[in-house]
Amino acid sequence: MANAILAFPRQPTHATFETTPALPPAAETDTAIPTHQLWRRLPADAFGETERAALWDLIATARPFSVDHWPEALAGDDAAAVAIALKLCGVDVLDTYRHDVALSMLLWHALKDSPAARTTLAFTLDRRRYLGEDVEQLTRSWRGPSRVEIRRAAVQALVEALS
């Protein structure tokens, strides 16, 4: 079943959902980032009102062909956004427009502080290493604190409370 989900055609069959050509490296382009690529190009702390508005416009008007749970994710269900992303995270589809739009939905939920969306976004960004990209800093920006950091902070708070 998983192979059937991840092995969808590279070229979408729906006329309104076409792939976009790959962009040249960032150094050769202007500073504007296409909205559908914000999820893979900006760290968590770089999103302002302009980016959020453009992101909402993208996901509110997109109708990706044969992507389950889109209406639920659009209505605010972060579990639906995570399900969409996990179904579309095969390495062979990391640079398709369809994948970018689906991960833009996940980004929207991550920006609304959904821990599941943030973790899934970090996981999906980490898979871009297979494309030869350096994503360590970007991935780290979306991950929450590690368990060690959480325990250390809890112990420190306990020590301060007892002293």
Side-chain angles (χ1 to χ4, degrees), residues 47-105:
F47 285 88
E49 288 304 315
T50 305
E51 291 83 8
R52 288 172 189 258
L55 183 62
W56 176 251
D57 288 345
L58 172 68
I59 64 173
T61 58
R63 297 292 177 253
F65 180 66
S66 125
V67 173
D68 295 333
H69 312 297
W70 189 264
E72 294 88 353
L74 193 58
D77 185 353
D78 59 339
V82 169
I84 290 169
L86 291 177
K87 286 181 180 180
L88 297 176
C89 69
V91 174
D92 59 332
V93 297
L94 291 178
D95 271 340
T96 63
Y97 185 75
R98 178 183 187 191
H99 186 255
D100 282 338
V101 172
L103 270 290
S104 294
M105 175 64 81

